[in-house]
Amino acid sequence: MDSLIIPCISKPLAIIPPKQDSISGFSHKPTKTMLSSTKKTNPNIIEAHLNHLCKSGRLAEAIAAIDSIAQRGSLVTPTTYINLLQSCIDLDSLRLGRELHARIHLVNEVNPFVETKLVSMYAKCGCIKDARQVFDAMRDRNLFSWSAMIGACSREQRGKEVVELFYMMMRDGVVPDDFLFPKILQACGNCGEIETGKLIHSLVVRLGMICHTRVSNSILAVYAKCGKLSLARKFFGNMDGRNIVAWNAMISGYCQNGENEEAYKLIDEMRGEGIEPGLVTWNILIGSYNQLGRCDVALELMKKMESLGIDPDVYTWTNLISGFAQNGRTNQALDLFEEMLLAGVEPNGVTMTSAVSACASLKALDKGLEIHSIVIKMGFLDDALVGNSLIDMYSKCGELEDARLVFDIILEKDVYTWNSMIGGYCQAGYCGKAYELFMKMQESEVPPNAITWNVMISGYIQNGDEDQAMDLFQRMEKDGKVKRNTASWNSLIAGFVHIGQKDKALGVFRQMQSFCVCLNSVTILSVLPACANLVALNKVKEIHTVVLRRNLEFVLSVANALIDTYAKSGNIAYSRTIFDGMLFRDIITWNSLIYGYVLHGRPDAALDLFDQMMQLELKPNRGTFLSIILAHGLAGMVNRGKQVFASITEDFLIIPALEHYSAMIDLYGRSGMLREAKEFIEYMPIEPDFSIWATLLTACRIHGNIGMAVHAAKLLLDLEPGNVLIYQLISQAYALCGKLEDASKMRKLEKDNKGRKSVGQSWTEVKNTVHTFITGIMFQGIGYR
């Protein structure tokens, strides 16, 4: 082995020099202290006494005894000192470990084993920095020393550092053994060091270690984790005595590369060789299907696993619960959580976090309170992840006081804890409280990050305080020393769109481009609504060009938004072109184009598209039915529209919302069936809102039924007193029927209330500038060149 020449080891090394701190002042050379002529104690008695103190857990007394022994001229043996260091590890006491390190000069012989134990003590007590400092200062490093340092880095998931240490080790002429090679190979797999993995493979072959099961399994895992499945399969095929670990490595490799069907086939091969897949194997497969969004398949796999006599563990259940929650099937996620508890499986922190997050998505406060009680009973309050999810849940349910109580209880707050609470205040409109917490955060040990600043910017602008939002945006880099990212700009764009400042939203978008900020799909989804209902087709085309340039056209949500925006901007043909070119469509895609045709007064095209959708067995949702009822109204197909409305509940088990009832009033109103429309309102199971009476008023005005129009108008004025639009509509209705005196009275009332409520506004683009029109007055917006 000494004559073994290892070629091609030219990896650059990142040697960490020892830092001059409290540790570096300690000499590793045994120093014989000049003591008084006090009679020395028998060494055997010293050792026995110190060992007794160690075994009794009285480590502080043992350290004090060392000082006393040193004063009498005696030194500690390496074995005793190592035992003392082990006691520090057992007690997880870094403080006492440092005190022992300070007394290393009282050891009669500081050998590599003592120094190695010192490295282990620092590493296992959570101070890998000091462990590396001791390691770098060692004069003689043997295999055990390297194993201690590499093992420490491996436990801390420092894969790159493990690989660097491997190359340093080889340069020192120390070759890993069959215990250390798997740790180094695991690091290679975790950080994608395939070339190092190949080098170790050749080295293992030349050392004759390929027959060691743990080593060969680790080589296989490197190829599988790095996506080199052809190499993994070839290596796997040549392995002797493949055990379940090898099979799991191959199955995991296929799953990580999205080849779940191949992974599933391996289970059949595995059973064919007489090896039954264990719990780990099933968990790998179940987790992979969940990550791909195929939750139903994952659930079936768990049932199959149970049928084979294998009970799901906490990881199985957590995988399923997280998978269902992340794929929008939150009710089922909570059902699974209950099943898990009934099965007697104790949840972990990740399970609790997933369950609480599901409650947050559903705004299911009662269920969230139940899970919170379980969190307290099972002692998860100290878990930051669980605490953060509870803050988020209470915030989304509008219970900010409860969210704050959880926030205050968490002692070790991380940046997510702060951001969750600040975000909760912002979402509820309490930007002042959010700002107070934001200032406290700057004084804490956890400084605000980009997400914190973005949440504050978004919170202020969404609540209408654009000046404060812009001030924070400007201060972010200067005062906060935090670089603005794409999300910072997106927050401004989305906020300006939310408060109706479309011109400013488009201005920020153009400024973002001029500063060469990387645009993403969220940017496009934020800015496109600024173009909807805006007579600015060129602007939509410009954004579409950006989409193509950024290769975002295949992002489903972006394509859907373009279909919707082109339709609302007056070009349904472009919407159809995008629709026809899509490789994958979801229900939003179909709904966007169907509604676009309705908006353009083409009910025939909308209904034809609906028929195609039904032939493909796509399940319509609330939005689909709204568009289809409106389409039947445009086509004058009242009976067919009534049948569709009835089918919402009878065939699809969907409870109609107010917008569906409003669409039915429109259906009756367009055909002049005003009495039927009024009766329909009277028998509605929910209280009619402004939109219901406004739709009836419009129909009455068109068909000249002044009595019913006035009745609807009075109800509207009860809901929104002083809305000048209502006076205008009644005035026009009187004028159309020749009742000029009544029309004049309405115009007078309109003037009296004009300052109380704006009629509305519209936008158009002229020479790259958005112009806003409000009640006949044109306001020139900010240019966005």
Side-chain angles (χ1 to χ4, degrees):
M1 191 177 293
D2 293 336
S3 61
L4 180 67
I5 298 172
I6 309 297
C8 304
I9 299 178
S10 57
K11 187 86 170 179
L13 305 178
I15 301 173
I16 302 173
K19 294 187 179 179
Q20 299 298 318
D21 61 9
S22 59
I23 296 173
S24 60
F26 304 135
S27 171
H28 285 197
K29 294 180 181 180
T31 306
K32 294 193 175 182
T33 314
M34 296 301 294
L35 302 170
S36 62
S37 58
T38 308
K39 187 179 178 181
K40 293 185 180 181
T41 310
N42 186 317
N44 293 331
I45 296 174
I46 293 172
E47 300 301 306
H49 179 59
L50 290 175
N51 286 328
H52 170 71
L53 291 174
C54 281
K55 288 177 182 177
S56 304
R58 295 153 65 187
L59 187 57
E61 290 181 48
I63 293 171
I66 290 175
D67 292 336
S68 176
I69 291 163
Q71 288 174 4
R72 292 196 294 272
S74 298
L75 296 175
V76 180
T77 66
T79 303
T80 302
Y81 190 78
I82 287 170
N83 290 339
L84 290 167
L85 288 171
Q86 182 59 49
S87 295
C88 293
I89 295 170
D90 295 339
L91 293 170
D92 193 24
S93 178
L94 182 62
R95 180 183 64 81
L96 293 175
R98 288 189 189 282
E99 289 187 25
L100 269 176
H101 189 184
R103 292 162 175 77
I104 195 169
H105 61 284
L106 301 178
V107 180
N108 62 17
E109 182 188 355
V110 180
N111 57 37
F113 294 100
V114 170
E115 293 173 316
T116 299
K117 197 65 177 181
L118 199 56
V119 170
S120 294
M121 183 277 294
Y122 276 121
K124 290 179 180 177
C125 289
C127 193
I128 198 166
K129 175 186 171 185
D130 288 352
R132 183 63 188 262
Q133 188 174 324
V134 173
F135 178 79
D136 288 337
M138 288 176 68
R139 292 162 299 173
D140 298 312
R141 292 184 288 235
N142 57 24
L143 179 61
F144 299 105
S145 312
W146 288 100
S147 296
M149 195 65 238
I150 288 173
C153 292
S154 180
R155 284 191 297 276
E156 294 290 319
Q157 303 293 315
R158 299 188 178 198
K160 292 286 184 185
E161 201 168 336
V162 169
V163 174
E164 288 165 359
L165 285 166
F166 162 69
Y167 283 101
M168 288 173 62
M169 179 181 185
M170 297 298 291
R171 283 185 179 178
D172 273 9
V174 182
V175 179
D177 60 2
D178 60 333
F179 172 79
L180 193 53
F181 267 129
K183 291 184 182 296
I184 301 167
L185 286 163
Q186 183 184 40
C188 292
N190 291 340
C191 62
E193 283 280 351
I194 186 64
E195 293 305 319
T196 304
K198 288 179 179 178
L199 173 66
I200 292 174
H201 182 182
S202 65
L203 181 59
V204 163
V205 171
R206 292 160 65 185
L207 291 171
M209 290 188 192
I210 200 69
C211 57
H212 290 268
T213 305
R214 289 182 71 249
V215 176
S216 59
N217 284 346
S218 300
I219 292 169
L220 175 64
V222 171
Y223 289 134
K225 283 183 180 178
C226 293
K228 303 295 180 182
L229 293 179
S230 58
L231 289 174
R233 190 72 199 222
K234 184 178 179 181
F235 184 84
F236 181 72
N238 292 326
M239 285 177 72
D240 293 324
R242 295 179 297 209
N243 61 10
I244 195 165
V245 176
W247 286 95
N248 285 348
M250 279 304 302
I251 290 167
S252 180
Y254 278 117
C255 287
Q256 286 171 7
N257 282 273
E259 297 184 36
N260 285 33
E261 305 308 321
E262 287 297 319
Y264 196 73
K265 287 178 186 175
L266 276 178
I267 288 185
D268 292 332
E269 288 184 34
M270 181 179 178
R271 298 181 73 185
E273 291 195 10
I275 299 175
E276 284 297 320
L279 183 59
V280 173
T281 315
W282 288 106
N283 281 347
I284 290 168
L285 205 55
I286 289 167
S288 180
Y289 274 107
N290 273 317
Q291 286 175 358
L292 292 173
R294 299 175 67 182
C295 303
D296 291 319
V297 178
L299 189 57
E300 286 301 315
L301 284 171
M302 188 180 82
K303 289 176 181 176
K304 184 172 182 180
M305 179 178 84
E306 288 178 299
S307 71
L308 294 170
I310 301 173
D311 292 327
D313 66 355
V314 63
Y315 300 104
T316 320
W317 287 103
T318 302
N319 259 324
L320 283 169
I321 293 164
S322 302
F324 275 90
Q326 289 166 12
N327 285 282
R329 298 170 67 174
T330 42
N331 279 312
Q332 287 166 282
L334 291 173
D335 289 342
L336 285 166
F337 180 71
E338 285 188 8
E339 285 183 41
M340 175 185 177
L341 295 178
L342 290 171
V345 178
E346 190 172 299
N348 59 22
V350 179
T351 326
M352 301 304 301
T353 301
S354 298
V356 174
S357 298
C359 294
S361 299
L362 293 169
K363 296 185 180 178
L365 181 60
D366 290 341
K367 191 67 184 174
L369 288 167
E370 285 180 32
I371 296 174
H372 191 175
S373 67
I374 297 170
V375 166
I376 294 169
K377 286 176 186 175
M378 302 193 72
F380 283 111
L381 274 181
D382 294 333
D383 190 314
L385 278 175
V386 177
N388 296 346
S389 63
L390 281 168
I391 293 169
D392 183 57
M393 185 271 293
Y394 281 122
S395 298
K396 286 180 177 173
C397 292
E399 301 293 331
L400 289 172
E401 289 184 8
D402 289 330
R404 186 59 188 259
L405 284 172
V406 175
F407 175 84
D408 291 336
I409 287 169
I410 299 172
L411 299 177
E412 298 292 331
K413 297 178 180 67
D414 60 17
V415 70
Y416 303 103
T417 315
W418 288 93
N419 288 350
S420 296
M421 194 65 244
I422 290 170
Y425 280 132
C426 286
Q427 286 168 14
Y430 297 112
C431 292
K433 287 184 176 291
Y435 191 77
E436 286 176 17
L437 210 58
F438 177 65
M439 296 304 291
K440 283 184 181 178
M441 186 179 181
Q442 293 182 56
E443 297 167 4
S444 75
E445 296 178 357
V446 184
N449 61 4
I451 294 172
T452 323
W453 284 88
N454 293 344
V455 166
M456 289 298 302
I457 291 166
S458 181
Y460 271 111
I461 199 165
Q462 294 278 344
N463 286 288
D465 193 344
E466 59 180 277
D467 292 336
Q468 185 66 23
M470 289 303 297
D471 179 61
L472 284 168
F473 185 78
Q474 299 297 337
R475 285 169 45 202
M476 186 172 175
E477 292 188 353
K478 184 180 177 183
D479 298 344
K481 310 298 180 188
V482 176
K483 186 173 176 60
R484 287 192 292 257
N485 57 18
T486 304
S488 312
W489 293 84
N490 291 348
S491 297
L492 282 181
I493 294 170
F496 280 125
V497 170
H498 179 75
I499 61 176
Q501 299 277 6
K502 298 187 176 188
D503 48 353
K504 291 184 180 179
L506 290 164
V508 172
F509 177 69
R510 293 304 294 265
Q511 197 175 16
M512 190 177 179
Q513 288 178 285
S514 67
F515 286 167
C516 299
V517 180
C518 183
L519 310 176
N520 58 20
S521 60
V522 178
T523 316
I524 303 302
L525 294 172
S526 299
V527 77
L528 275 174
C531 302
N533 303 320
L534 174 68
V535 186
L537 185 59
N538 288 337
K539 180 54 56 186
V540 186
K541 287 181 179 178
E542 180 189 321
I543 295 170
H544 193 176
T545 303
V546 174
V547 169
L548 296 171
R549 202 163 52 235
R550 296 281 178 182
N551 294 318
L552 297 172
E553 67 270 27
F554 299 113
V555 178
L556 184 60
S557 56
V558 171
N560 290 344
L562 281 168
I563 291 171
D564 181 66
T565 309
Y566 269 123
K568 289 176 179 175
S569 300
N571 198 319
I572 192 69
Y574 273 85
S575 297
R576 185 62 192 242
T577 301
I578 295 169
F579 179 88
D580 290 338
M582 291 173 69
L583 299 174
F584 178 77
R585 306 181 186 110
D586 63 2
I587 188 65
I588 298 171
T589 317
W590 290 86
N591 285 354
S592 299
L593 190 57
I594 290 169
Y595 180 71
Y597 280 126
V598 171
L599 201 63
H600 282 257
R602 293 180 55 185
D604 53 338
L607 295 172
D608 180 60
L609 207 59
F610 178 67
D611 289 339
Q612 290 180 40
M613 178 179 154
M614 295 303 287
Q615 286 171 13
L616 292 171
E617 297 183 353
L618 287 172
K619 188 178 179 181
N621 63 11
R622 293 173 184 270
T624 322
F625 286 118
L626 175 62
S627 296
I628 295 307
I629 294 169
L630 290 171
H632 283 110
L634 284 171
M637 301 165 65
V638 178
N639 289 333
R640 183 71 187 120
K642 288 165 65 178
Q643 289 173 11
V644 170
F645 182 81
S647 72
I648 297 176
T649 305
E650 293 172 6
D651 299 336
F652 294 94
L653 305 177
I654 295 173
I655 299 171
L658 272 166
E659 56 263 27
H660 297 100
Y661 288 100
S662 180
M664 285 301 294
I665 305 303
D666 179 78
L667 178 84
Y668 286 121
R670 284 181 182 275
S671 297
M673 301 169 67
L674 302 179
R675 183 172 55 81
E676 288 85 349
K678 189 170 180 296
E679 287 178 359
F680 185 84
I681 295 172
E682 289 171 355
Y683 288 102
M684 278 173 54
I686 49 179
E687 193 70 25
D689 68 346
F690 187 91
S691 67
I692 298 291
W693 295 114
T695 305
L696 181 64
L697 173 59
T698 302
C700 293
R701 184 176 65 89
I702 291 168
H703 292 286
N705 190 327
I706 300 303
M708 197 177 290
V710 171
H711 173 71
K714 286 179 179 177
L715 291 166
L716 280 170
L717 287 173
D718 287 341
L719 292 169
E720 289 194 12
N723 189 330
V724 295
L725 178 58
I726 301 167
Y727 293 106
Q728 280 190 346
L729 290 172
I730 300 172
S731 175
Q732 290 170 11
Y734 279 132
L736 287 170
C737 294
K739 296 186 178 183
L740 300 179
E741 186 178 342
D742 291 329
S744 178
K745 287 179 182 177
M746 284 297 112
R747 281 196 294 273
K748 185 178 182 302
L749 285 170
E750 177 192 338
K751 287 178 183 178
D752 293 340
N753 290 277
K754 198 161 190 177
R756 296 178 64 185
K757 182 118 177 162
S758 165
V759 172
Q761 50 188 315
S762 60
W763 302 265
T764 189
E765 179 194 34
V766 180
K767 294 184 179 178
N768 219 26
T769 300
V770 173
H771 297 275
T772 305
F773 295 87
I774 303 177
T775 60
I777 303 171
M778 184 179 82
F779 294 91
Q780 183 171 321
I782 296 172
Y784 52 91
R785 283 189 287 249

